[in-house]
Amino acid sequence: MKPVIVTKGITKTYQPDTIPVHALRGVDLTIDEGEFVAIVGPSGSGKTTLLNIIGGLDRPSAGYIEVGGKDISKFSDNALIDFRRDHIGFVFQAYNLIPVLTALENVEFVMLLQQLPKEKRNQRAMELLHAVGLDDKVNKRPIELSGGQQQRVAVARALASKPAFVLADEPTANLDSVSTGQLLDIMANLNQEEQMTFVFSTHDQRVIDRAHRVITLEDGKIISDRKGHV
Amino acid sequence: MLLSLAWRNIWRNKRRTLITAASVLFAVLFSSVMQSIQHGTWDHMVDNVVNYYYGYLQIQGKKFWDDRSIDEVIDRQTLLEKLPEGFKNSYPLVPRLESFALASAGNRTQGALMIGIDPEAENALTGLKGRISKGDYWQSSPEGILVGEGLAENFKIDVGDTLIFLSQGYHGANAIGEYPVRGLIHFASPDLSKTMVYLHLEDAQQFYATGDQITSLVVGLKDKEELPGAIKALHSDLDTATYAVKDWQEMMPELMQAKEMDTASANVILIILYIIISFGIFGTILMMTKDRQYELGVLLSIGMRRMQLFGMMWMEVVMIGLVGVAMGFLISVPLVKYLSLHPFQMTGEYAKAYEKFGAEPIIPPAFDWNIFSWQVLFVFVITTVLAFYPFWVIRKMKPVEAMRL
Ligand SMILES: Nc1ncnc2c1ncn2[C@@H]1O[C@H](COP(=O)(O)OP(=O)(O)O)[C@@H](O)[C@H]1O
Ligand SMILES: [Mg+2]
């Protein structure tokens, strides 16, 4: 299997000048194409920091990082933005969507930034909304959707640019158990059928149980890395 | 879609957008009405003075304007021959011989401006005949003079009475003459009313002993627009050592100065107004940028470039400004149009100030699209400049920090 994410000795220290906070203390990690990975650990263990660094939203204090075969630490600001647009799908904890755009337009948005023609954008956005079970909500604004539906639109948007992998930082933290189950079903399904790689953080046991690989962080270090669940 | 996104974004906070647009509306309304009145007033005043007496363009003896001496006359026939081809057919040419004289009747004496005119040409240019309040305009006979009502009042004389004039004539000759008053002329300006005396050009030439000479020839242009062409033609054909070509601005320096000062102080008011409005718009921009930190962070995260983000914010700011301009136009265009068709009458001090310049005391606001297009440009520039704030915020924005809840 081809690795899509490789990190070696990643550290991240916040406020290095005053009271340093060591959010990550040397993380070595390889995630292969098609994996379905949960990053778990108590609050403050460094999950968000790690995902941000992998996603090119933040830079490590030290260490090596390779995403999709590229050393993104050397990218310029615009190159990094374009890289995120073209190769990484993001799902945040909440408020993912542009409030004034419909579900369809939100999904189309990334493709618009990629300057795909209208036809293509529209077709793919419809397919993706179908895949997340929202055919009947395409013209709804985020405010008209439930939290679970909004997160599903966010997943559809994350997939719009056909990224190498999807990063989701606690995507179910604001959802009830039914919506959590639905979102996980959809993600697992996309992973199964399309070999889409998912890396998500969580501290919800029901979510952890669905992962194929569970990486546990504590105090900025990986303390366990279990594979096996199918 | 970016455009439609920006448009939808500005209506997320309807109240804020409307309040901001309303402040622009107010600025547009205030400044376009004020400028229309201002331009209209000055145009009206200039037109008045120009049409009342000066005309847009005069040809004079070289030093006449500065010296006002009867010796600075020019030969009428020679000048007419030297005029550019076609001038005689294109424009009315109105000859005058004017100089100061002492007028007296009974035991009273005062200064007067005696103007020898060609009644027909003069009337065509200035509508002098229409301003006669008593008596007639040389219809029944060619003799006699027309005097301002104020002057008649000073002398306590009326139509049919006689005035004696004394002055220095051409090359030191004694000028003395006695003329019956055949009519009174109404002047809005009390100063003019007290000093103006019109008589036949031939009578004036005889009085001043100039022969067929004149002090000035008014070229009756219809419009200021014709001025540059006419001046150019005159300069190439006339000997500038003998003749001076004066346009209305040169003949009315005080008026021009007053106009410039008035315009400058009006502009200061407008600038202050727009600065105040700018603060309001800036407040809105601050809130717009702050409220949407998280969202801007998301957009940056999912791959929208900083310039694209900025472009969106810029469009939003400009759109709010233009919505205000559009609303301002909706009110001010018909309003100014209406006012320009229904000028209002002035009273009190203002009316007096007008009359001083010989102008009718009315305000006819000018309807000029330029005034409106300047507003668009102004608001566009202001909003664009203010949009540098989000530019600056977005430029250094870090998605992770923007999205920290
Ligand atoms: N911008 C920051 N400045 C200072 N400390 C930070 C910052 N972001 C995170 N931290 C700290 O880094 C550690 C890891 O945080 P985070 O990655 O958010 O953990 P998790 O997502 O697992 O809760 C925590 O101690 C947190 O307080
Ligand atoms: Mg976190």
Side-chain angles (χ1 to χ4, degrees):
Chain A
M1 271 293 176
K2 227 172 79 190
V4 284
I5 299 162
V6 178
T7 76
K8 288 199 184 100
I10 292 283
T11 69
K12 179 71 182 180
T13 308
Y14 290 109
Q15 303 146 351
D17 303 330
T18 54
I19 317 147
V21 178
H22 301 285
L24 294 178
R25 308 162 181 261
V27 174
D28 301 322
L29 181 67
T30 301
I31 294 174
D32 290 331
E33 215 172 70
E35 284 200 276
F36 200 62
V37 187
I39 312 267
V40 305
S43 184
S45 57
K47 304 183 293 291
T48 298
T49 305
L50 179 60
L51 288 183
N52 284 344
I53 289 172
I54 293 171
L57 296 175
D58 206 352
R59 295 188 193 262
S61 304
Y64 176 77
I65 171 139
E66 193 183 290
V67 179
K70 296 225 164 62
D71 177 359
I72 60 169
S73 63
K74 304 226 157 53
F75 280 15
S76 72
D77 181 61
N78 268 338
L80 196 55
I81 293 174
D82 290 354
F83 186 80
R84 289 200 297 263
R85 181 192 67 196
D86 297 337
H87 302 290
I88 308 175
F90 289 94
V91 178
F92 302 103
Q93 191 173 322
Y95 311 115
N96 272 284
L97 306 178
I98 305 171
V100 295
L101 298 184
T102 63
L104 184 69
E105 289 167 331
N106 263 289
V107 177
E108 274 190 52
F109 192 74
V110 178
M111 295 183 276
L112 177 85
L113 295 178
Q114 290 178 312
Q115 301 182 320
L116 258 59
K118 173 95 191 133
E119 291 271 291
K120 247 190 162 145
R121 280 189 337 236
N122 198 268
Q123 196 196 337
R124 179 155 175 78
M126 291 298 280
E127 280 168 17
L128 288 165
L129 285 170
H130 173 74
V132 299
L134 291 174
D135 299 84
D136 54 338
K137 305 286 184 204
V138 291
N139 291 322
K140 295 269 186 266
R141 298 261 178 113
I143 200 164
E144 300 168 291
L145 300 174
S146 71
Q149 290 167 338
Q150 288 184 29
Q151 289 304 75
R152 278 145 70 186
V153 176
V155 168
R157 180 188 64 191
L159 293 170
S161 64
K162 302 189 175 155
F165 58 93
V166 174
L167 292 177
D169 191 9
E170 311 217 22
T172 61
N174 292 5
L175 302 185
D176 59 37
S177 56
V178 174
S179 306
T180 298
Q182 284 175 336
L183 191 71
L184 262 268
D185 287 344
I186 286 164
M187 285 164 55
N189 210 32
L190 287 162
N191 172 254
Q192 207 87 92
E193 316 243 296
E194 325 231 342
Q195 265 58 60
M196 179 52 65
T197 314
F198 279 88
V199 181
F200 49 92
S201 70
T202 185
H203 45 230
D204 182 340
Q205 192 55 48
R206 287 164 304 181
V207 178
I208 299 170
D209 289 345
R210 303 286 300 265
H212 303 171
R213 177 179 172 191
V214 178
I215 296 168
T216 310
L217 281 181
E218 209 174 282
D219 287 335
K221 277 190 154 150
I222 296 178
I223 56 160
S224 89
D225 187 344
R226 289 181 291 114
K227 279 189 204 185
H229 173 89
V230 180
Chain B
M1 189 143 118
L2 267 189
L3 200 74
S4 117
L5 177 60
W7 178 253
R8 291 189 216 173
N9 274 333
I10 68 175
W11 297 110
R12 274 159 78 169
N13 195 326
K14 279 202 192 66
R15 226 168 74 99
R16 187 164 73 197
T17 296
L18 283 176
I19 289 173
T20 312
S23 74
V24 174
L25 176 155
F26 172 76
V28 167
L29 181 62
F30 181 84
S31 52
S32 54
V33 169
M34 174 172 143
Q35 282 191 293
S36 301
I37 289 178
Q38 223 231 342
H39 289 199
T41 305
W42 284 107
D43 285 355
H44 170 68
M45 198 182 283
V46 165
D47 280 357
N48 255 295
V49 180
V50 162
N51 293 331
Y52 231 69
Y53 191 66
Y54 289 108
Y56 285 117
L57 187 65
Q58 291 192 7
I59 303 163
Q60 304 167 344
K62 179 74 187 162
K63 286 191 283 185
F64 171 73
W65 190 253
D66 300 321
D67 297 356
R68 295 305 167 104
S69 159
I70 194 68
D71 291 339
E72 301 302 330
V73 287
I74 46 183
D75 189 79
R76 174 152 75 139
Q77 224 41 58
T78 318
L79 173 59
L80 289 177
E81 277 157 27
K82 283 185 178 159
L83 280 184
E85 211 50 47
F87 242 65
K88 271 161 272 190
N89 305 328
S90 316
Y91 308 116
L93 301 170
V94 183
R96 286 181 190 153
L97 179 69
E98 58 174 71
S99 191
F100 286 98
L102 276 179
S104 94
N107 51 11
R108 211 192 138 77
T109 301
Q110 71 156 81
L113 182 61
M114 273 185 105
I115 306 156
I117 56 167
D118 171 340
E120 232 168 89
E122 186 71 30
N123 185 46
L125 182 78
T126 64
L128 184 59
K129 189 163 150 187
R131 283 185 266 144
I132 294 212
S133 60
K134 198 168 181 192
D136 84 334
Y137 192 70
W138 293 291
Q139 280 107 325
S140 48
S141 63
E143 297 90 34
I145 57 175
L146 302 175
V147 302
E149 287 168 340
L151 186 131
E153 203 178 307
N154 277 355
F155 282 110
K156 303 210 166 36
I157 55 169
D158 206 341
V159 173
D161 293 337
T162 299
L163 275 174
I164 294 167
F165 291 87
L166 266 176
S167 185
Q168 188 174 49
Y170 191 52
H171 288 171
N174 279 329
I176 184 158
E178 186 183 14
Y179 302 95
V181 174
R182 66 175 304 135
L184 304 184
I185 305 176
H186 173 75
F187 286 95
S189 154
D191 286 351
L192 292 180
S193 191
K194 275 178 225 157
T195 48
M196 299 290 269
V197 173
Y198 287 95
L199 68 169
H200 249 277
L201 181 62
E202 289 78 28
D203 285 348
Q205 288 171 337
Q206 207 166 29
F207 177 75
Y208 286 111
T210 57
D212 193 11
Q213 301 195 91
I214 55 177
T215 52
S216 51
L217 184 75
V218 184
V219 181
L221 303 183
K222 300 268 170 313
D223 206 292
K224 335 190 219 307
E225 318 299 301
E226 297 177 324
L227 208 51
I231 290 178
K232 207 170 155 216
L234 288 175
H235 275 299
S236 68
D237 280 31
L238 290 182
D239 174 10
T240 50
T242 314
Y243 301 103
V245 177
K246 298 266 178 199
D247 66 21
W248 57 284
Q249 286 170 314
E250 289 174 277
M251 292 185 285
M252 295 179 272
E254 300 95 343
L255 191 64
M256 295 324 293
Q257 225 171 2
K259 177 180 171 174
E260 261 161 45
M261 273 172 56
D262 189 47
T263 307
S265 56
N267 286 347
V268 169
I269 293 175
L270 290 186
I271 287 168
I272 292 172
L273 175 72
Y274 270 105
I275 287 175
I276 293 170
I277 300 299
S278 300
F279 276 108
I281 299 177
F282 190 65
T284 298
I285 294 176
L286 275 179
M287 290 189 274
M288 249 167 74
T289 316
K290 188 141 180 45
D291 287 0
R292 279 160 62 194
Q293 283 278 317
Y294 185 90
E295 184 183 324
L296 295 175
V298 169
L299 289 171
L300 199 53
S301 300
I302 64 169
M304 193 165 179
R305 285 188 174 200
R306 290 173 204 274
M307 275 317 279
Q308 290 173 314
L309 266 183
F310 166 66
M312 179 183 79
M313 292 295 273
W314 172 78
M315 281 195 279
E316 291 179 22
V317 177
V318 169
M319 275 175 181
I320 294 178
L322 293 184
V323 166
V325 170
M327 298 194 313
F329 278 14
L330 233 50
I331 301 178
S332 62
V333 169
L335 180 67
V336 171
K337 188 88 210 169
Y338 176 84
L339 292 177
S340 70
L341 298 174
H342 303 85
F344 33 96
Q345 198 78 32
M346 281 193 296
T347 50
E349 288 298 305
Y350 286 109
K352 287 212 184 78
Y354 272 66
E355 288 175 349
K356 219 173 132 195
F357 285 111
E360 263 180 283
I362 57 164
I363 301 179
F367 187 85
D368 181 355
W369 281 111
N370 267 334
I371 291 175
F372 297 103
S373 36
W374 272 105
Q375 309 284 332
V376 183
L377 191 71
F378 236 67
V379 171
F380 183 81
V381 169
I382 287 175
T383 47
T384 298
V385 168
L386 292 176
F388 268 89
Y389 175 74
F391 175 74
W392 178 69
V393 169
I394 290 167
R395 201 176 59 95
K396 16 169 263 170
M397 175 178 277
K398 295 204 174 95
V400 175
E401 283 167 21
M403 289 168 67
R404 198 175 299 137
L405 284 172

